[in-house]
């Protein structure tokens, strides 16, 4: 148990170190000079341009040797300073991201958790039930094979453009200001629904299929046959099968987190939802590499936390990890 | 007599193997999932191969009237700029298959190399490879791709396939490691080791053939996964800079407000193409599972 946690912790620390180092490299190794490209947008005299260049290089911390920049990056990172946005100069990156984070979390967390829960329940229910297996599962397969943004596009087109039930883009109505009023929250929910639904549906299909296959495996295993031979009720056997099939699904969630996050980011782009995904697109288009760096940092931290939580949950649901037996995969 | 005994050994070994193969074939041609998935896949593959010859319009040239719905001249209509959507679609389909085969293939190779080594060697090697796997698993692919794309101003389909392959192997490595682990504990592997076979030979002759169906299915899943990842990359504009792809088509459609203008012929085909290819692969995978694993067959 203790060994398990020390090893996990070490791996997370190392991963964090590598991921942040790659993150640091983004603005430094980009084509063109971010400062130059920012200055070239404002037409300046050559001599004032040099002065400006020096000023901005200094304020972005790009005028010291590269190893020094790396150390400085870690230093300011640990103080919560992510630098200044080029696109929205002089807003600090951290505040730009802080505005986007609530939207992304409000979208991702319910979509991931609900689709996991609903998909697993449905998959377990559908397994070895001929009628459901033949009607509902093909749909689950189709959902699971859809690219996230395409389902988003389809929903936006059908429910947003053709039927005009839901708004097509944005986080809230154009005429509104963020405030705690009923009207604003209603508008927020209305804009939230379509991106949520498209994320939920793709995930739902995948988990349902996975669970269905795992339950069939479990129902065909020796202990299930033994229970059947003893005359145990089918409900009980299914419950045992479900508990065993949950373990790979918990690990599966950890394996899938990266793909799901990427899916959520493109879904945001489809709906112009004001979260991190849209911020990343804007940052790429505006060559704002510091913003890009900050956004990725939050994604790295988020994915690491999610993985860590899943590891904790795994210890809770799989007693073998607690007694030090070979239970957990890694 | 000893000679005679030795002579019969390969025969006895070959016979059940042949029977097993014909049994797999027997169930394969009777498995509806395998047939449906395979048919969809083959049809799309043919379209990807033949399609570009059916149209004279280059995919990115402005050839036709602007924003016209599907017609006899332009089977899938045209974009806002008058590009032929059908031409883009078939060329994009080609790209999709190339990226899938390449990305899935590379990921499968790395996954097998890491999985076999970690599972067979165990100990320190296993710990180290496990750590690498975990790190690659968590590092956001997009961030790495941004740095890579910085060096390569002109990215082709090959680069994209390579990149997807190099980042999507971890789960396969884990799965193969777990399988190898359980096979390594079997008697016949011990026997092979006792008889002095070299490690590589044990892995390729004793372990890999016993999980060949599993490896094939892993490759199929990686194939489908690579296509989806590539579509995501294309969609945010990190895809191939030359040529066309299905993800890029969707990107352009959203960018130029095809949704608001109701130009469904622009964004339906590319997504449908990807869904059909990936869905065909996944359904085939379940069919194969039922063919190889007698317990799963519906009786």
């Amino acid at each position: 148990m203790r060994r398990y946690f020390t090893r996990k912790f070490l791996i997370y620390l190392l991963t964090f170190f590598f991921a942040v180092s790659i993150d640091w490299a983004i603005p430094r190794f980009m084509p063109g000079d971010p400062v130059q490209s920012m200055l070239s947008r404002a037409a300046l005299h050559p001599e004032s341009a040099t002065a400006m260049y020096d000023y901005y290089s200094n304020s972005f911390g790009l005028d010291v040797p590269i190893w020094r920049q790396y150390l400085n990056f870690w230093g300011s990172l640990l103080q919560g300073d992510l630098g200044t946005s080029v696109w929205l100069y002089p807003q600090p990156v951290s505040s730009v991201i802080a505005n986007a984070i609530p939207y992304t979390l409000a979208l991702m967390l319910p979509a991931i958790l609900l689709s996991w829960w609903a998909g697993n329940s449905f998959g377990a229910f559908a397994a070895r039930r001929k009628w459901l297996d033949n009607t509902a599962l093909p749909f689950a397969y189709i959902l699971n094979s859809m690219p996230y943004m395409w389902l988003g596009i389809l929903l936006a087109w059908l429910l947003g453009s053709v039927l005009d039930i839901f708004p097509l883009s944005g986080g809230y109505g154009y005429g509104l200001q963020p405030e705690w009023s009923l009207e604003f929250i209603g508008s927020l929910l209305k804009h939230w629904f379509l991106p949520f639904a498209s994320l939920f549906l793709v995930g739902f299909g995948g988990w349902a299929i996975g669970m269905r296959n795992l339950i069939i495996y479990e129902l065909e295993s020796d202990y299930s046959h033994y229970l059947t031979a003893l005359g145990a009720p089918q409900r009980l056997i299914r419950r045992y099968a479900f508990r065993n099939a949950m373990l790979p699904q918990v690990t599966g969630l950890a394996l899938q987190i990266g793909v799901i996050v990427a899916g959520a980011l493109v879904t945001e782009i489809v709906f112009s939802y004001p979260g991190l995904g849209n911020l990343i697109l804007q940052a790429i288009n505006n060559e704002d590499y510091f913003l890009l760096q900050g956004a990725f940092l939050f994604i790295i931290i988020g994915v690491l936390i999610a993985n860590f939580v899943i590891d904790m949950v795994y210890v809770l649901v799989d007693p073998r990890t607690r007694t030090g037996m070979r239970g957990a995969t890694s | 007599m000893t000679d005679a005994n030795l002579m019969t050994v390969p025969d006895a070994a070959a016979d059940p193997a042949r029977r097993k193969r014909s049994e797999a074939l027997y169930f394969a041609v009777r498995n509806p999932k395998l047939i449906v998935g395979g048919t969809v896949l083959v049809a799309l593959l043919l379209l990807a191969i033949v399609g570009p010859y059916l149209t004279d319009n280059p995919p990115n040239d402005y050839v036709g009237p602007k924003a016209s719905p599907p017609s006899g001249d332009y089977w899938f209509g045209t974009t806002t700029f008058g590009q032929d959507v059908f031409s883009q679609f078939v060329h994009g389909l080609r790209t999709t298959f190339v990226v899938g085969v390449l990305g899935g293939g590379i990921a499968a190779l790395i996954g097998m190399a890491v999985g076999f080594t970690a599972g067979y060697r165990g100990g320190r090697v296993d710990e180290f490879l496990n750590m690498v796997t975990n790190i690659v698993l968590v590092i956001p692919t997009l961030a790495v791709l941004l740095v890579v794309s910085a060096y390569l101003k002109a990215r082709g389909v090959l680069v994209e396939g390579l990149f997807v392959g190099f980042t999507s192997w971890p789960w396969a490595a884990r799965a193969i490691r777990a399988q190898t682990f359980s096979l390594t504990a079997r008697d016949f592997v011990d026997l092979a080791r006792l008889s002095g076979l070299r490690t590589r030979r044990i892995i390729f002759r004793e372990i890999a053939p016993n999980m060949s169906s599993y490896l094939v299915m892993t490759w199929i899943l990686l194939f489908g996964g690579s296509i989806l990842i590539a579509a995501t990359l294309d969609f945010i504009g990190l895809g191939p800079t030359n040529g066309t792809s299905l993800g890029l088509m969707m990107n352009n459609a959203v960018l130029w407000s095809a949704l608001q203008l109701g130009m469904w012929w622009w964004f339906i085909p590319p997504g449908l193409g990807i869904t059909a290819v990936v869905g065909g692969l996944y359904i085939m995978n379940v069919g194969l599972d039922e063919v190889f694993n007698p317990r799963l067959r519906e009786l």
Side-chain angles (χ1 to χ4, degrees), chain B residues 158-201:
Chain B
L158 293 182
V159 175
E160 186 173 31
L162 280 174
F163 179 78
V164 172
F166 277 116
T167 48
S168 60
W169 55 267
W171 73 261
R174 275 192 179 191
I176 292 170
R177 169 184 172 272
Q179 287 281 319
T180 312
F181 221 88
S182 72
L183 280 177
T184 307
R186 301 274 184 87
D187 289 341
F188 65 89
V189 177
D190 282 338
L191 214 60
R193 213 178 295 160
L194 277 177
S195 66
L197 281 184
R198 268 177 307 164
T199 310
R200 182 174 306 183
R201 241 179 119 69

Side-chain angles (χ1 to χ4, degrees), chain A:
Chain A
M1 176 91 171
R2 185 135 175 216
R3 209 173 98 89
Y4 175 80
F5 277 116
T6 9
R7 271 177 52 185
K8 283 282 172 204
F9 185 71
L10 215 87
I11 286 177
Y12 280 120
L13 215 64
L14 255 173
T15 313
F16 184 68
F17 174 76
F18 275 115
V20 171
S21 299
I22 291 174
D23 194 42
W24 168 81
I26 293 174
R28 270 84 189 175
F29 296 101
M30 276 301 173
D33 188 333
V35 177
Q36 194 67 56
S37 74
M38 183 173 87
L39 289 180
S40 64
R41 255 175 282 171
L44 292 166
H45 284 295
E47 59 262 44
S48 60
T50 2
M52 291 287 272
Y53 186 84
D54 290 342
Y55 170 72
Y56 281 120
S57 290
N58 183 273
S59 65
F60 288 122
L62 292 174
D63 54 350
V64 291
I66 207 116
W67 60 270
R68 188 80 225 166
Q69 286 183 31
Y70 184 66
L71 291 184
N72 285 347
F73 177 69
W74 273 104
S76 51
L77 181 72
L78 295 177
Q79 290 164 17
D81 176 14
L82 296 174
T84 319
S85 165
V86 176
W87 170 45
L88 299 167
Y89 193 84
Q91 278 193 58
V93 166
S94 45
S95 78
V96 177
I97 290 175
N99 285 334
I101 286 275
Y103 290 100
T104 298
L105 283 184
L107 196 60
M108 246 189 252
L109 280 182
I112 293 174
L113 294 177
L114 280 178
S115 70
W116 191 78
W117 174 76
N120 279 328
S121 316
F122 181 74
F125 184 72
R128 281 279 187 245
R129 284 193 168 87
K130 261 247 144 71
W131 182 79
L132 258 183
D133 216 39
N134 289 335
T135 50
L137 275 196
F139 282 106
Y141 271 108
I142 295 171
L143 282 178
N144 186 37
S145 340
M146 278 188 185
Y148 281 97
M149 58 278 184
W150 192 56
L151 185 59
I153 292 173
L154 278 188
L155 286 179
W157 176 59
L158 282 176
L159 297 176
S161 192
V162 176
L163 297 176
D164 205 14
I165 305 174
F166 288 101
L168 262 179
S169 64
Y172 46 84
Y174 286 115
L176 297 173
Q177 286 290 320
E179 56 185 351
W180 288 111
S181 71
L182 219 58
E183 192 196 2
F184 179 71
I185 292 173
S187 167
L188 216 54
L189 278 177
K190 227 176 165 181
H191 282 81
W192 169 84
F193 182 76
L194 278 187
F196 164 77
S198 59
L199 274 177
F200 174 83
L201 284 174
V202 175
F204 177 83
W207 296 124
I209 292 165
M211 196 54 171
R212 178 246 177 206
N213 293 345
L214 284 166
I215 288 276
I216 289 180
Y217 267 112
E218 295 295 335
L219 287 181
E220 291 298 322
S221 67
D222 291 340
Y223 74 88
S224 301
H225 287 312
Y226 180 61
L227 278 174
T228 320
L230 287 182
Q234 197 59 33
R235 275 180 60 95
L236 183 78
I237 303 174
R238 271 184 173 264
R239 202 186 315 148
Y240 283 173
F242 183 73
R243 297 188 74 174
N244 275 312
M246 275 311 267
L247 296 179
Q249 290 292 78
V250 173
T251 326
L253 187 59
L255 292 174
Q256 284 288 310
I257 279 282
V259 175
I260 299 174
V261 168
L265 298 181
V266 289
T267 307
E268 282 181 7
I269 293 174
V270 170
F271 291 98
S272 316
Y273 203 69
L276 278 182
N278 235 332
L279 216 55
I280 287 174
L281 186 73
Q282 294 294 341
I284 293 176
N285 289 342
N286 291 294
E287 299 191 355
D288 185 349
Y289 299 123
F290 296 97
L291 185 56
L292 208 55
Q293 193 178 37
F296 275 125
L297 190 74
F298 270 84
I299 292 172
I300 292 166
I301 293 172
V303 170
L304 278 175
I305 291 177
N307 271 288
F308 185 70
V309 170
I310 293 170
D311 277 341
M312 295 293 121
V313 170
Y314 202 93
V315 175
L316 285 180
V317 296
D318 187 353
R320 285 173 301 182
T321 39
R322 262 172 284 167
T323 52
M325 283 167 65
R326 294 196 47 81
T329 40
S330 88

Side-chain angles (χ1 to χ4, degrees), chain B:
Chain B
M1 183 162 161
T2 3
D3 273 344
N5 265 348
L6 278 178
M7 285 303 286
T8 55
V9 169
D11 273 339
D15 201 31
R18 199 180 304 141
R19 199 181 322 136
K20 206 177 161 195
R21 202 166 301 150
S22 64
E23 185 192 305
L25 198 69
Y26 174 90
F27 282 104
V29 292
R30 280 165 184 76
N31 189 303
K33 287 181 183 124
L34 192 61
I35 291 170
V36 169
T39 312
V40 170
L41 212 62
V42 169
L44 286 166
L45 186 64
L46 284 180
L47 184 61
I49 295 170
V50 180
Y53 300 109
L54 295 179
T55 169
D56 299 328
N57 302 324
N60 289 326
D61 283 11
Y62 310 128
V63 285
K66 289 177 172 132
S68 80
S71 64
D73 289 336
Y74 301 98
W75 296 347
F76 286 9
T78 58
T79 68
T80 316
F81 314 102
Q83 293 151 312
D84 186 355
V85 176
F86 178 74
S87 171
Q88 288 195 342
F89 177 72
V90 286
H91 280 96
L93 208 56
R94 245 186 205 188
T95 315
T96 296
F97 274 105
V98 172
V99 167
V101 170
L102 203 66
I106 291 171
L109 281 182
I110 301 177
M112 281 199 291
V114 172
F116 281 143
T117 320
Y120 184 76
R121 286 292 171 93
R124 286 253 170 91
V125 180
D126 182 27
E127 298 247 323
F128 173 74
L129 288 176
N130 228 329
M131 202 175 67
V132 175
T133 310
N134 275 317
I135 290 173
V136 176
L137 191 68
V138 178
I139 282 179
T141 328
L142 286 178
V144 186
L145 186 66
L146 273 169
V147 181
V148 173
S149 63
Y151 284 103
L152 304 164
K153 283 229 159 156
R155 297 181 300 279
V157 182
L158 293 182
V159 175
E160 186 173 31
L162 280 174
F163 179 78
V164 172
F166 277 116
T167 48
S168 60
W169 55 267
W171 73 261
R174 275 192 179 191
I176 292 170
R177 169 184 172 272
Q179 287 281 319
T180 312
F181 221 88
S182 72
L183 280 177
T184 307
R186 301 274 184 87
D187 289 341
F188 65 89
V189 177
D190 282 338
L191 214 60
R193 213 178 295 160
L194 277 177
S195 66
L197 281 184
R198 268 177 307 164
T199 310
R200 182 174 306 183
R201 241 179 119 69
I202 295 178
I203 289 178
F204 284 119
R205 297 292 298 274
E206 307 292 333
I207 294 176
N210 275 299
M211 49 191 282
S212 56
S213 59
Y214 193 80
L215 295 178
V216 171
M217 291 191 296
T218 308
W219 181 69
I220 290 180
L221 287 181
L222 284 170
F223 189 147
S226 301
I227 291 174
L228 289 179
I229 296 171
T232 307
L233 295 179
D234 294 349
F235 189 73
I236 52 170
L238 292 174
T241 46
N242 50 355
T244 179
S245 76
L246 297 180
L248 209 59
M249 284 173 76
M250 284 192 269
N251 179 18
N252 282 327
V254 170
L255 212 59
W256 303 104
S257 323
L259 281 175
Q260 286 83 347
L261 300 173
M263 291 166 64
W264 52 268
W265 58 88
W266 194 355
F267 54 80
I268 297 265
L272 200 61
I274 294 176
T275 308
V277 172
V278 178
L281 282 168
Y282 284 176
I283 289 175
M284 230 174 88
N285 193 48
V286 179
L288 278 179
D289 205 8
E290 287 172 6
V291 169
F292 290 132
N293 190 342
R295 285 175 160 182
L296 294 179
R297 284 175 200 149
E298 305 270 352
L299 297 172

